[in-house]
Amino acid sequence: MPRQSSDRPLNIVMVSSEAVPFAKTGGLADVVGALSVEFAKLGHHVYLIIPRYPFLHLEDYASEEYARFPVPTPMGPIETVVECVTYPKMSAHLTILAIRCDRFFKREGLYGESGEDYPDNLERFSYFCRAVMELLLVVHRRSAYKKAVLHLHDWQAALCAVYLRTLYAAYPELAGVRSVLTLHNIGYQGIFPGSEYWKAGLPSALFSMSSLEYYGSINLLKGGIVYAHFLTTVSPTYSREIQSSQFGFGLEGVLSERKMFLRGIVNGIDPEVWNPATDPFLASHYSLSALKGKKQCKSHLQREVALEESDSLLIGVIARLTSQKGLDLLVEIVPELMESDVQLVVLGTGDPSYVDHFRALAKKYPRRVAFRDAFDESLAHRIEAGADMLLMPSRYEPCGLSQLYSLRYGTVPLVRKTGGLADTVITYTPRTIKEKCATGFMFTEPTADSLLCALMVAMAVYQKRRVWLTIMKTGMKLDHSWRRSANAYVDLFREVLEELGDK
């Protein structure tokens, strides 16, 4: 049968400051890299645009010049080279374009070094977004597309939405381009002194409360929220939460004004990378139909981190050590937990005060508490496989990925009811266990007492092995692959292109 018009391949331009496997500081890179590949697998024409960092030239990658042009900036035109990057197993439908400007991107870090942001980040990412717009003109001339979606990610790419509807509004080549801005974490907004507004190269009239001005400063994410044709977040619950003062970080008002153009789409995971049946980091493999290897993974993990080998409930924590993750709640209740038959293994880096707390707990409770101050991908996989439970007591969590990994690995998540955690975990109750839909445990209030109560319930259920096994298997059956998320984005893109018009 001929392809229906509604099923025609889309032109999708992904714009991000980072993407795996090229550059990464956090989950943003995972999402952008995975979505780009998944869109291409679905048959869409995908362009991924990123800065050309010096560490991008690795042995497995090759690049060649794609285009060369001057980028207009308030400091004068900047000669720019765009490289087309290739690497093994890359889809034919995916074109990766790296914008090269050594003045801004030939540095050790992406956004800063030694815990300090680069002082010229406003110039760097204003230039990057302006270069993206100039590159779009080149791409249009070569592909002659009529419609395209400009999928922007976080504050570093947000100015593209502003430029599209202001400086580049009169370009006929871009008349069929619509922007979608994804808010991965509203806590990071790209705020700079108002005195530096001129560096964005925008008309002075846009430095107003209805546009980019924010309490006397310039807020790049706010500009993107105001000017993007549509907005998404990484979970439905988070899309509602950020419209409140508790989670909106000062942008709840502008987000509420645009709520009709705001949608939450849950992130996904790569089922090939996160697969307990084939995971190369595991000592033993297992699957939904053959779970024996999971017990062996637990024993191996206990030996690796010097915990006592036992059937104790082994709780894993894999997180950045920040206040957002609610780890102060865990620190507070560890002494009470140690009165029960429980073990704890924590993996993460971050706030030195949390590092000190967990080191002290590991010293006080040897063979019961283990702590690794590191970012260790292989150990993260072994914790996901070897732990009985994964704990995520986050104060807020736009989506979260660790709980999705744990469901896949039969490791029961215990989470706080917030953001994507609320959307991806079905809490244990007599009713949900009877209906065989429970996948984990949940608590509501961000307090130590609330967390402890939830853990006490989980510990009691752990003793009921058949019930615990039912919860494990229910989670392992779920589909949290990127394919599902990508299809939801594609449906939205079609709506934006076909219905939004010039709004």
Side-chain angles (χ1 to χ4, degrees):
M1 293 180 62
R3 185 189 291 269
Q4 299 297 312
S5 59
S6 60
D7 295 331
R8 288 176 182 168
L10 300 179
N11 298 297
I12 303 171
V13 181
M14 306 282 283
V15 182
S16 177
S17 57
E18 55 185 271
V20 294
F22 306 109
K24 174 179 176 177
T25 62
L28 168 64
D30 294 314
V31 174
V32 173
L35 271 180
S36 299
V37 171
E38 202 60 50
F39 289 147
K41 286 182 179 178
L42 291 171
H44 302 289
H45 306 299
V46 183
Y47 294 88
L48 170 58
I49 303 177
I50 57 176
R52 164 60 159 85
Y53 301 109
F55 41 81
L56 193 148
H57 248 326
L58 302 177
E59 291 182 1
D60 292 339
Y61 310 141
S63 64
E64 60 182 7
E65 184 172 313
Y66 177 85
R68 183 184 294 261
F69 48 78
V71 173
T73 76
M75 293 75 72
I78 297 178
E79 190 65 24
T80 299
V81 174
V82 178
E83 297 178 6
C84 185
V85 181
T86 59
Y87 68 98
K89 300 180 181 179
M90 192 173 79
S91 169
H93 295 287
L94 174 60
T95 302
I96 299 168
L97 301 175
I99 294 175
R100 180 167 190 164
C101 179
D102 291 350
R103 168 180 171 182
F104 288 137
F105 300 122
K106 192 175 183 180
R107 305 182 184 185
E108 292 296 319
L110 271 62
Y111 315 119
E113 297 174 37
S114 303
E116 297 291 331
D117 289 342
Y118 291 128
D120 61 346
N121 274 347
L122 175 58
E123 295 171 72
R124 296 174 75 223
F125 291 103
S126 295
Y127 158 80
F128 174 62
C129 291
R130 193 71 186 265
V132 168
M133 302 310 298
E134 293 293 321
L135 179 55
L136 282 180
L137 298 174
V138 175
V139 171
H140 180 272
R141 287 196 293 270
R142 297 189 183 185
S143 61
Y145 59 77
K146 292 183 179 179
K147 293 182 178 181
V149 171
L150 189 59
H151 191 187
L152 311 172
H153 297 270
D154 275 354
W155 69 265
Q156 296 91 341
L159 274 179
C160 290
V162 183
Y163 291 152
L164 179 65
R165 303 184 80 172
T166 55
L167 302 182
Y168 290 80
Y171 283 77
E173 303 98 316
L174 304 182
V177 176
R178 295 293 179 265
S179 62
V180 174
L181 172 63
T182 294
L183 311 170
H184 294 264
N185 189 331
I186 200 75
Y188 300 94
Q189 301 178 6
I191 300 174
F192 301 93
S195 59
E196 297 184 11
Y197 173 76
W198 65 274
K199 295 178 180 178
L202 290 165
S204 58
L206 269 62
F207 189 65
S208 66
M209 190 169 63
S210 61
S211 294
L212 283 86
E213 188 270 339
Y214 180 80
Y215 298 101
S217 299
I218 174 176
N219 188 318
L220 302 189
L221 189 66
K222 180 187 175 186
I225 291 170
V226 171
Y227 284 91
H229 291 91
F230 211 95
L231 307 168
T232 71
T233 64
V234 289
S235 71
T237 294
Y238 190 60
S239 72
R240 296 187 293 271
E241 287 178 340
I242 60 177
Q243 296 178 53
S244 70
S245 58
Q246 183 180 0
F247 297 101
F249 285 88
L251 294 180
E252 58 272 10
V254 67
L255 287 163
S256 294
E257 290 176 3
R258 300 225 60 203
K259 63 183 179 182
M260 297 301 294
F261 303 97
L262 172 62
R263 185 175 303 176
I265 298 175
V266 174
N267 283 337
I269 64 174
D270 187 332
E272 295 182 7
V273 173
W274 293 93
N275 183 354
T278 59
D279 192 329
F281 295 121
L282 305 188
S284 300
H285 292 135
Y286 61 94
S287 64
L288 181 60
S289 59
L291 284 170
K292 183 179 179 180
K294 182 163 177 62
K295 186 174 182 179
Q296 295 170 343
C297 286
K298 178 176 180 178
S299 296
H300 183 273
L301 176 62
Q302 289 171 323
R303 291 193 298 271
E304 180 178 0
V305 298
L307 293 177
E308 181 181 355
E309 287 190 59
S310 72
D311 290 330
S312 301
L313 175 66
L314 177 52
I315 301 172
V317 176
I318 306 168
R320 294 193 320 276
L321 305 183
T322 65
S323 59
Q324 175 201 335
K325 300 301 181 179
L327 298 177
D328 55 313
L329 309 181
L330 174 59
V331 169
E332 185 176 340
I333 67 169
V334 167
E336 290 175 85
L337 281 182
M338 292 298 101
E339 296 175 5
S340 303
D341 190 17
V342 170
Q343 294 178 330
L344 177 67
V345 54
V346 179
L347 172 66
T349 62
D351 190 324
S353 65
Y354 286 115
V355 172
D356 292 342
H357 278 308
F358 284 116
R359 278 180 177 161
L361 289 169
K363 185 176 180 180
K364 185 176 181 179
Y365 303 103
R367 309 284 284 170
R368 300 284 303 284
V369 176
F371 172 60
R372 295 292 183 272
D373 176 19
F375 176 81
D376 188 330
E377 184 75 11
S378 63
L379 181 54
H381 280 245
R382 290 190 290 277
I383 292 174
E384 290 286 7
D388 298 301
M389 171 181 287
L390 186 90
L391 179 60
M392 296 181 70
S394 305
R395 282 189 158 75
Y396 74 93
E397 194 68 61
C399 179
L401 293 175
S402 292
Q403 84 279 12
L404 302 183
Y405 302 148
S406 69
L407 290 167
R408 175 92 164 140
Y409 279 58
T411 299
V412 177
L414 191 157
V415 304
R416 194 171 93 77
K417 189 177 182 180
T418 184
L421 303 180
D423 292 327
T424 55
V425 177
I426 299 177
T427 191
Y428 164 88
T429 66
R431 183 172 183 176
T432 57
I433 200 67
K434 182 179 180 180
E435 296 175 353
K436 294 186 177 182
C437 62
T439 60
F441 299 86
M442 195 176 296
F443 67 103
T444 302
E445 297 301 320
T447 65
D449 285 344
S450 185
L451 170 59
L452 184 59
C453 286
L455 277 167
M456 291 298 181
V457 171
M459 286 186 277
V461 175
Y462 180 71
Q463 301 304 317
K464 304 174 182 177
R465 301 305 298 169
R466 294 179 66 180
V467 176
W468 190 266
L469 190 61
T470 297
I471 297 173
M472 286 174 54
K473 289 185 174 181
T474 301
M476 293 181 77
K477 293 176 183 177
L478 298 176
D479 175 17
H480 285 295
S481 68
W482 277 113
R483 178 62 55 95
R484 190 171 70 166
S485 302
N487 278 319
Y489 275 107
V490 168
D491 289 343
L492 170 63
F493 294 163
R494 293 193 191 281
E495 290 178 32
V496 172
L497 290 173
E498 295 171 5
E499 299 176 14
L500 194 57
D502 294 322
K503 292 181 182 179

